[in-house]
Amino acid sequence: MPLLPDLPDLGGLVFSAGGGAEGLAFADALLSLFILFLAAKVGEEVFRRINQPGVIGELLGGFIVGPFALGLADVTITAEVFAELGVVILLFTVGLEVRIDDLIAVGPMALAVGAIGFILPIIAGIGIGLAIGEDILPAALIGLALAATSIGITSRVLSEMGVLDRAFSRVILGAAIVDDILALLAIGVLSGFAEGSLGPETLVTLVAGLAFVGIGLALAPLGRRLPRKVFVWPKFADTPVVPVFIIMFAGALLAQFVGLAAIIGAFVVGLMVAETPVREEVEHGFRPLLGIFAPFFFAVTGAHIDMSALLDPQLLIIVLVLTVMGVLTKLVGGVAGSLRLGRWNAIVVGLGMSPRGEVGIVVAALGLSLGLIGGEIYAVLLAAVILTTLVAPVMLQWAIPKATRDERHHGGGPAARAA
Amino acid sequence: MPLLPDLPDLGGLVFSAGGGAEGLAFADALLSLFILFLAAKVGEEVFRRINQPGVIGELLGGFIVGPFALGLADVTITAEVFAELGVVILLFTVGLEVRIDDLIAVGPMALAVGAIGFILPIIAGIGIGLAIGEDILPAALIGLALAATSIGITSRVLSEMGVLDRAFSRVILGAAIVDDILALLAIGVLSGFAEGSLGPETLVTLVAGLAFVGIGLALAPLGRRLPRKVFVWPKFADTPVVPVFIIMFAGALLAQFVGLAAIIGAFVVGLMVAETPVREEVEHGFRPLLGIFAPFFFAVTGAHIDMSALLDPQLLIIVLVLTVMGVLTKLVGGVAGSLRLGRWNAIVVGLGMSPRGEVGIVVAALGLSLGLIGGEIYAVLLAAVILTTLVAPVMLQWAIPKATRDERHHGGGPAARAA
């Protein structure tokens, strides 16, 4: 292994695994990781000292050292992998905090929030797309890019504010699953239309996605019967951390394999482990892993921020319209779907569904590769997606205290929590 | 971020950071990580169940899924980075277990073990090189590849057997530092000779390396005066884990920058943190990190095992001669340098210095790139280096119980420990 890449005269060094370029790429990957991590933590520190959400600081820290600003850190594939594991571990630990029965109890509400919040942005996107002179398919793609929620940022805010046990948090998490399954279906259908072939694969993918989530949720309650020794039977395991890490990683890969987001798989595994007697031990052991991996997710997300579309006044207007519509439609979806929780709780649900993040970017990139949209619309979508991601934590930090006060006002925790 | 690389029709998908090839590389990197980790743990489990060192199982697990056997996992740059962080965290946690005063107490002994164990392999290598008809410089390179110890494997065995607090462990660790500084010097000198220019850079590098270790060891005792709040003053830090991770990472990069191995930097930082009041908290918090990262080091090392040189009977003989001489010279160095500890303790020191690992491979690769040696000798060196790495844990597992019994026999722990 290239342990000494900075030695003098190592120019043409051939490692067993590759060429000199690999040695340099290795050194770059390692240094970039360090810079991204440090930037995330410094950013978080600054924002928390001024009483703003730490996650925004992490995003901006990544942006500042990333390729679209100072260029101190490269977003290497290695950094992407750390980021992915970061959000996978984040959603796994969120799953650990959620009781499966509580999640199923909010099922109908989550279904309503997810579905309404998915359809409204598509309608709004189609409207805006047609208004700026696009055809129906490109317009639908614009809508779809605004439809898919990314739960990473919201999870972090909910966890930071200690409200993961609230009903609104569970509705958001349940709705995110609904949202991801709808995205899976919609992306398949749109790709099929664009290529003129709506094959049975779309149906297969949908069934596989539903089966994954369904089987996971159905199996979870069985965890209650598992004794601790099931998790520590391997000789290499003094604690359940390593075995559970393997299961979480496998769940994430499996979800990705059937077409869902890896984080949905990790979340479902988290739900399952939450039912077992090792929950607290795993939660404790995963805290350092979360502390080391999760900042990469936020820093790398920040390093992807390319705001070049904002420099053109005409595009800027479209970006702002899309952003406002993006937040508003999710807000309406959240409020309409979960009004029973009380006004402020429902608002938090809507705001929590607002960040689009990486799923929106993937949809926009898909549109670009299918030839549905050009570079300008791509840049516009990217900027709008990023803005929804930056705006949400600030609004959540403002709305959550009102929601928790509201809840206490209406007769308090346990009852509202069971809703 | 490419969260959905397995979606249908994502062929030409353009992510914000790169092309479709990047999406595939990302998916491959993630899957390869999982396979390497799983293989390491399954290998460890099998070996521990048959009462063999777990680390050999991890190495063989990596070998089996790696490119030279089944080819299920690629050794991507990402995997190399995980491996590097794994061995960095391993040596950091080893440093946490060592008291700076104890290390300095064994200083003269470590110096003797390190120096004798460095010079003897070079002499042996020159002898063997000349005997097989090489010139003096290539022969010196063969010796140098056999001279540099890699401490990762030994650390793991010492830690697994719970003997890090023994005098022989401290002598091994101290000697490894001496060894690494000598390697730094020797590689510089040899490169200078080969290129016909022995510039002042070699001297600068040596001074920088010595300064790094010297300053680190000199500053370490100051840690005793640091209160816990120094480590948790950032708002993002509930525990010292994340701040200490940053310091450890910085120390590793700095060591690499001055030309030392990254692991030496991490070890020195570990020594420093060991003197502070947060030692136990850090040790506890780093255990999950060690559990997740370290297996990648062993699996990736195993995945690099290329034994093709063993298929040619003539080369096989050279490999075996080099391996035997490699182990014997380190054994003599260890015994000669630390005989005062008692016979079996001194033997453990010698065996502990035997694994060459990645430093030997880097030297061999350097020789290849400088044109000093050809592909055949490179393959031979690689095989010999790997064999020393595989043989050492088995012999350590056999010798350590005798050494600890010996120690108890001679009047017991504390006294012998202080030696």
Side-chain angles (χ1 to χ4, degrees):
Chain A
M1 250 180 314
L3 276 183
L4 302 164
D6 285 307
L7 275 178
D9 308 312
L10 280 188
L13 184 50
V14 180
F15 293 107
S16 58
E22 177 153 344
L24 291 178
F26 171 83
D28 174 47
L30 203 59
L31 186 62
S32 289
L33 279 187
F34 179 70
I35 294 171
L36 285 168
F37 191 85
L38 193 62
K41 290 291 112 181
V42 171
E44 180 183 357
E45 189 66 18
V46 170
F47 270 68
R48 286 179 73 158
R49 297 234 169 232
I50 58 174
N51 285 320
Q52 294 300 310
V55 65
I56 299 274
E58 296 191 66
L59 290 164
L60 288 185
F63 168 72
I64 288 170
V65 298
F68 297 110
L70 298 183
L72 297 176
D74 288 336
V75 183
T76 61
I77 288 176
T78 302
E80 300 271 9
V81 168
F82 270 84
E84 177 76 354
L85 280 175
V87 71
V88 158
I89 292 172
L90 176 62
L91 265 287
F92 168 77
T93 57
V94 166
L96 278 184
E97 305 272 329
V98 177
R99 290 291 115 116
I100 187 86
D101 293 343
D102 293 347
L103 190 69
I104 289 171
V106 298
M109 213 181 265
L111 204 63
V113 169
I116 302 172
F118 198 82
I119 293 164
L120 287 185
I122 293 186
I123 295 173
I126 291 178
I128 297 170
L130 294 177
I132 60 173
E134 297 284 343
D135 281 339
I136 178 73
L137 269 185
L141 184 115
I142 292 172
L144 188 52
L146 289 181
T149 292
S150 162
I151 198 73
I153 308 279
T154 299
S155 298
R156 166 66 196 279
V157 176
L158 297 176
S159 162
E160 197 172 304
M161 299 187 71
V163 290
L164 273 173
D165 61 339
R166 299 280 168 169
F168 58 71
S169 293
R170 289 198 304 278
V171 173
I172 291 173
L173 292 166
I177 296 178
V178 173
D179 198 292
D180 198 52
I181 291 172
L182 290 174
L184 177 67
L185 177 67
I187 291 172
V189 169
L190 193 77
S191 317
F193 264 122
E195 296 183 333
S197 67
L198 198 56
E201 303 87 27
T202 306
L203 196 67
V204 172
T205 312
L206 180 70
V207 170
L210 282 173
F212 179 89
V213 173
I215 293 172
L217 298 185
L219 289 181
L222 298 181
R224 279 164 220 162
R225 288 194 218 140
L226 292 180
R228 179 176 184 276
K229 66 169 185 279
V230 169
F231 293 93
V232 291
W233 70 260
K235 288 224 172 214
F236 65 73
D238 304 323
T239 75
V241 169
V242 170
V244 167
F245 178 82
I246 292 174
I247 300 169
M248 175 203 75
F249 205 154
L253 288 175
L254 188 62
Q256 198 165 275
F257 180 75
V258 303
L260 292 167
I263 55 175
I264 298 290
F267 177 67
V268 170
V269 173
L271 289 175
M272 297 168 85
V273 175
E275 300 295 323
T276 70
V278 295
R279 186 181 76 86
E280 280 184 40
E281 213 178 334
V282 169
E283 205 179 317
H284 181 78
F286 266 69
R287 218 166 286 155
L289 296 176
L290 187 65
I292 298 308
F293 279 101
F296 290 107
F297 172 68
F298 302 110
V300 166
T301 303
H304 279 307
I305 296 179
D306 174 6
M307 288 295 195
S308 48
L310 300 186
L311 299 177
D312 178 329
Q314 240 185 319
L315 295 183
L316 176 61
I317 293 171
I318 308 178
V319 168
L320 293 179
V321 170
L322 284 173
T323 306
V324 171
M325 287 308 287
V327 174
L328 272 185
T329 48
K330 285 288 179 189
L331 195 57
V332 171
V335 171
S338 65
L339 197 54
R340 269 201 304 134
L341 290 180
R343 191 168 49 128
W344 280 106
N345 285 275
I347 289 174
V348 167
V349 170
L351 292 175
M353 298 297 290
S354 285
R356 303 311 198 280
E358 65 286 348
V359 188
I361 295 174
V362 167
V363 170
L366 178 67
L368 193 63
S369 76
L370 289 174
L372 283 178
I373 58 172
E376 274 193 352
I377 296 292
Y378 175 74
V380 160
L381 278 175
L382 215 62
V385 160
I386 290 162
L387 282 180
T388 60
T389 306
L390 289 176
V391 162
V394 179
M395 296 179 71
L396 277 172
Q397 174 150 315
W398 158 78
I400 285 175
K402 296 184 194 292
T404 51
R405 207 179 309 133
D406 210 27
E407 202 165 280
R408 232 173 289 126
H409 212 69
H410 278 78
R417 280 181 205 174
Chain B
M1 250 180 314
L3 276 183
L4 301 164
D6 284 307
L7 274 177
D9 308 312
L10 281 187
L13 182 50
V14 180
F15 293 107
S16 58
E22 178 153 344
L24 291 178
F26 170 83
D28 175 46
L30 203 60
L31 187 61
S32 290
L33 278 187
F34 179 70
I35 293 171
L36 285 168
F37 191 85
L38 193 62
K41 290 289 113 183
V42 171
E44 180 184 357
E45 188 66 18
V46 170
F47 270 68
R48 287 178 72 157
R49 296 232 171 234
I50 58 174
N51 285 319
Q52 294 300 311
V55 65
I56 300 274
E58 294 191 65
L59 290 165
L60 289 184
F63 168 72
I64 288 170
V65 299
F68 296 110
L70 298 183
L72 298 174
D74 288 336
V75 183
T76 61
I77 288 176
T78 303
E80 299 271 8
V81 168
F82 271 84
E84 177 77 353
L85 280 175
V87 70
V88 158
I89 292 172
L90 175 62
L91 265 287
F92 168 76
T93 57
V94 167
L96 278 184
E97 305 272 331
V98 177
R99 291 293 115 118
I100 186 86
D101 293 342
D102 294 346
L103 190 69
I104 290 170
V106 298
M109 213 181 266
L111 205 62
V113 170
I116 303 174
F118 198 82
I119 293 164
L120 287 185
I122 293 185
I123 296 173
I126 292 179
I128 297 169
L130 294 178
I132 60 173
E134 297 284 343
D135 280 339
I136 179 74
L137 270 183
L141 185 116
I142 292 172
L144 188 53
L146 289 181
T149 292
S150 161
I151 199 74
I153 307 279
T154 298
S155 298
R156 166 65 196 279
V157 175
L158 296 176
S159 161
E160 198 173 305
M161 299 187 72
V163 291
L164 273 172
D165 61 339
R166 299 280 167 168
F168 59 72
S169 294
R170 289 197 305 278
V171 173
I172 292 173
L173 293 166
I177 296 178
V178 173
D179 198 294
D180 199 52
I181 291 173
L182 291 175
L184 177 66
L185 177 66
I187 291 172
V189 170
L190 193 76
S191 316
F193 264 122
E195 296 182 334
S197 66
L198 198 57
E201 305 89 23
T202 306
L203 196 67
V204 172
T205 312
L206 180 71
V207 170
L210 282 172
F212 179 89
V213 173
I215 293 173
L217 297 185
L219 288 181
L222 298 181
R224 280 164 219 160
R225 287 194 220 141
L226 291 180
R228 180 176 183 278
K229 68 169 182 282
V230 169
F231 294 94
V232 292
W233 69 259
K235 288 224 171 213
F236 64 72
D238 304 323
T239 75
V241 170
V242 170
V244 167
F245 178 81
I246 292 173
I247 300 169
M248 176 203 74
F249 205 153
L253 288 175
L254 189 62
Q256 200 166 271
F257 180 74
V258 301
L260 292 168
I263 56 175
I264 298 290
F267 177 67
V268 170
V269 173
L271 288 175
M272 298 168 85
V273 175
E275 300 296 321
T276 70
V278 295
R279 186 182 76 88
E280 279 184 40
E281 213 178 334
V282 169
E283 205 181 316
H284 181 79
F286 266 69
R287 217 166 287 156
L289 297 176
L290 187 65
I292 298 307
F293 280 101
F296 289 107
F297 172 68
F298 302 110
V300 166
T301 303
H304 279 308
I305 295 179
D306 174 6
M307 287 296 195
S308 49
L310 300 187
L311 298 177
D312 179 330
Q314 241 185 319
L315 295 183
L316 176 62
I317 292 171
I318 308 178
V319 168
L320 294 179
V321 170
L322 285 173
T323 307
V324 171
M325 287 307 289
V327 174
L328 272 184
T329 48
K330 286 287 179 190
L331 195 58
V332 171
V335 171
S338 67
L339 197 55
R340 269 203 303 136
L341 290 180
R343 190 167 50 127
W344 281 106
N345 285 276
I347 289 174
V348 167
V349 170
L351 292 175
M353 299 298 289
S354 284
R356 304 310 200 280
E358 63 288 347
V359 188
I361 295 173
V362 167
V363 170
L366 178 67
L368 194 64
S369 77
L370 289 173
L372 282 178
I373 57 171
E376 273 192 353
I377 296 292
Y378 175 73
V380 161
L381 278 174
L382 215 63
V385 160
I386 290 162
L387 282 179
T388 61
T389 305
L390 289 176
V391 163
V394 179
M395 295 178 72
L396 278 172
Q397 174 150 318
W398 158 77
I400 286 175
K402 294 183 196 293
T404 51
R405 210 178 307 132
D406 211 26
E407 202 164 284
R408 232 172 289 127
H409 212 68
H410 278 77
R417 278 181 208 175

